[in-house]
Amino acid sequence: MKVKRRSSQADVPSMAMGDIAFNLLIFFVILARAQDDSHLQWQPAAAEEINATGTAKVAVLIDNDNKYYVNGQQVGAAQIADEVDALLGNAPAGERIVLFKVHREAQALYFEPAIEAISEVGGDIVHVLEQKQE
Amino acid sequence: MVEPPSSATGDIAFNLIVFFLVCASVQPDSGRQQTLPRSEQEEEQQSENIEVQLGRNTVMLNGNILRQQDFAAALKRALNGKTRAEDRVVIVKSKADTPYHHWVVVTEMIETAGGIVTIQTEEEQQVVVPGG
């Protein structure tokens, strides 16, 4: 006697595609947030002449509590040079831009060691500022 | 009344998120690039260079206290005739409580006047007394 083999279907239901995409997106957004510093509290200083900064691999930020962050991760003052050096790697001159975001009221005691650390590892500092209002 | 099918809710949410993400990420940063000479260059030349000292609200040029609006003109006079890059180095010494916005304004003036900013931190400013 011949027994007919039954074929089973195992498709991903197309109804769930939107939900899958949604969850994937949430996953990548959270992953990207870890390197982002948009949640940190700081106010830029003003300057008369500012230019577009372009893209940079590294951003050093000093917030309104005088805490240091490299690409959104909190670090100590002594770690800035090593962290920036590791992120810049062997990038050639011109591609070693480091965005320097400092709260306008931060004191020299805090921002000068950071400037020194960045220039020590060959980073090209770009001070992130806002246009001075007349 | 025709309602949108509930199976499309996920797609609608997805498109809304993409829209807000794109809106949030299109604001670029703007600022000012600054090239600081390496510290070994600074050590060789610091005896002849122009010195600017910053306090909380004050600015001093070669030991003379100035108003911020007079600083740019005085600095231009001091840099006048200095054509070599190494002569145009301006050493900026800041007191610990100097706020960043004040530092930015003064260093912008220095660069506009044609000076090359270099910083000297508190540690480097300490004077070692021989035999002390």
Side-chain angles (χ1 to χ4, degrees), chain A residues 15 17-19 21-22 25-26 29 45-54 97 99-109 111-113 115-116 119-122 124-130 132, chain B residues 6-7 9-11 13-14 17-18 21 28-39 56 68 92-105 107-108 112 119-125:
Chain A
M15 279 272 286
M17 282 301 171
D19 297 337
F22 179 79
L25 195 78
I26 297 289
V29 165
E48 278 170 12
E49 269 188 52
I50 56 167
N51 310 306
T53 55
I97 292 173
L99 295 181
F100 193 52
K101 303 174 180 182
V102 182
H103 181 59
R104 51 176 286 114
E105 295 297 336
Q107 296 177 340
L109 178 68
F111 68 78
E112 279 196 338
I115 293 175
E116 212 171 25
S119 81
E120 195 182 294
V121 296
D124 298 326
I125 298 175
V126 174
H127 296 266
V128 176
L129 306 165
E130 66 177 8
K132 195 177 253 182
Chain B
S6 58
S7 61
T9 315
D11 297 337
F14 177 78
I17 289 175
V18 170
L21 272 181
D29 287 320
S30 55
R32 180 162 58 89
Q33 186 157 3
Q34 189 170 53
T35 310
L36 297 170
R38 298 266 177 155
S39 52
R56 182 147 187 86
Q68 210 179 66
V92 178
K93 297 177 181 178
S94 309
K95 289 215 169 125
D97 62 348
T98 306
Y100 180 67
H101 62 86
H102 182 43
W103 190 91
V104 163
V105 168
T107 55
E108 187 182 26
T112 307
I119 58 168
Q120 191 173 10
T121 53
E122 285 276 310
E123 281 172 36
E124 289 168 311
Q125 288 174 42

Side-chain angles (χ1 to χ4, degrees), chain A residues 8-23:
Chain A
S8 59
Q9 288 216 329
D11 291 332
V12 178
S14 57
M15 279 272 286
M17 282 301 171
D19 297 337
I20 294 165
F22 179 79
N23 282 301

Side-chain angles (χ1 to χ4, degrees), chain A residues 52-129:
Chain A
T53 55
T55 51
K57 277 195 255 180
V58 189
V60 174
L61 189 144
I62 302 174
D63 73 356
N64 53 9
D65 288 326
N66 295 317
K67 288 180 185 147
Y68 300 100
Y69 298 85
V70 175
N71 282 357
Q73 301 289 313
Q74 194 177 342
V75 294
Q79 293 168 282
I80 296 172
D82 291 340
E83 292 282 334
V84 172
D85 195 28
L87 289 164
L88 287 176
N90 294 322
E95 287 175 30
R96 302 183 68 83
I97 292 173
V98 177
L99 295 181
F100 193 52
K101 303 174 180 182
V102 182
H103 181 59
R104 51 176 286 114
E105 295 297 336
Q107 296 177 340
L109 178 68
Y110 298 100
F111 68 78
E112 279 196 338
I115 293 175
E116 212 171 25
I118 297 165
S119 81
E120 195 182 294
V121 296
D124 298 326
I125 298 175
V126 174
H127 296 266
V128 176
L129 306 165

